[in-house]
Amino acid sequence: MHVLQRIAVQADDKSHAFYSVKHYLETQMGSEYSYSSWYDWFVTGGGRWNPNEDSQYNDDDQSMTVSYEDEPRKFLDTVNEGIAQRMVEFNQYRKTFNEKNVDINSVLDSYDGQMDFGFQLYDLYKMIDMTQGKWDYNSHFYDMYHDTTNTKYMLDSIDTGNKNWYLVFVDFHF
């Protein structure tokens, strides 16, 4: 499966932002046989979401990278789009969990110290991940500089005059 993420980073220019994100993601991935991340490959530059058809899998296309200093409205709208998409995911998990009508106390009472391979609490698990800020395929936004899915620190930095923020689009496969 694929997901588009918006990765926020501080940098001196668009190229530095783009390659900083690319390098960071490559190092987070681990080795070919020992993945240490939630994704197994990615395309920096938006991948299948890149409107330049010839560049969709060109891992050097920076055309989708957005600079706060150059395009503050577009930058903030893009951040808000990511959070809105996150909320769509969250609300779907919540709807699915509510429809299951799971008796959480019954599930907890039946726990015998062994892993349960069932999925009855999966939606609750994913909602907890999201409310706790775990970065994964449901996040749709990640602040690489502050290592968080929370926009607060980036926005506070912008409010104090730090305008050298960039959003780099990344197509992740997981």
Side-chain angles (χ1 to χ4, degrees), residues 79-110:
V79 169
N80 290 334
E81 288 168 8
I83 300 306
Q85 186 60 43
R86 182 186 301 167
M87 289 307 301
V88 166
E89 303 286 345
F90 181 86
N91 289 329
Q92 183 59 48
Y93 284 124
R94 188 169 185 182
K95 180 180 183 279
T96 302
F97 183 72
N98 287 340
E99 288 171 354
K100 290 179 185 176
N101 200 24
V102 175
D103 180 353
I104 294 174
N105 286 323
S106 174
V107 173
L108 297 176
D109 289 343
S110 68

Side-chain angles (χ1 to χ4, degrees), residues 3-7 21 25 42-46 168-172:
V3 67
L4 179 66
Q5 297 262 351
R6 298 134 186 94
I7 310 297
V21 168
L25 296 174
F42 63 91
V43 179
T44 317
V168 177
F169 287 85
V170 181
D171 174 355
F172 287 97

Side-chain angles (χ1 to χ4, degrees), residues 51-122:
N52 302 325
E53 290 185 24
D54 295 339
S55 297
Q56 287 183 337
Y57 288 96
N58 175 355
D59 207 22
D60 291 317
D61 184 337
Q62 301 174 27
S63 63
M64 291 181 67
T65 301
V66 181
S67 161
Y68 177 82
E69 187 168 26
D70 295 341
E71 300 177 279
R73 181 79 269 146
K74 183 177 181 179
F75 183 95
L76 295 174
D77 287 347
T78 301
V79 169
N80 290 334
E81 288 168 8
I83 300 306
Q85 186 60 43
R86 182 186 301 167
M87 289 307 301
V88 166
E89 303 286 345
F90 181 86
N91 289 329
Q92 183 59 48
Y93 284 124
R94 188 169 185 182
K95 180 180 183 279
T96 302
F97 183 72
N98 287 340
E99 288 171 354
K100 290 179 185 176
N101 200 24
V102 175
D103 180 353
I104 294 174
N105 286 323
S106 174
V107 173
L108 297 176
D109 289 343
S110 68
Y111 179 66
D112 62 1
Q114 300 297 324
M115 181 182 162
D116 176 0
F117 291 97
F119 286 98
Q120 62 184 344
L121 295 180
Y122 178 78

Side-chain angles (χ1 to χ4, degrees), residues 1-4 41 48-49 57 171-174:
M1 295 182 62
H2 288 260
V3 67
L4 179 66
W41 59 272
R48 63 184 55 214
W49 283 272
Y57 288 96
D171 174 355
F172 287 97
H173 182 267
F174 62 97

Side-chain angles (χ1 to χ4, degrees), residues 32 40 63 70 116 125 157 161:
E32 178 181 358
D40 57 357
S63 63
D70 295 341
D116 176 0
Y125 164 73
S157 175

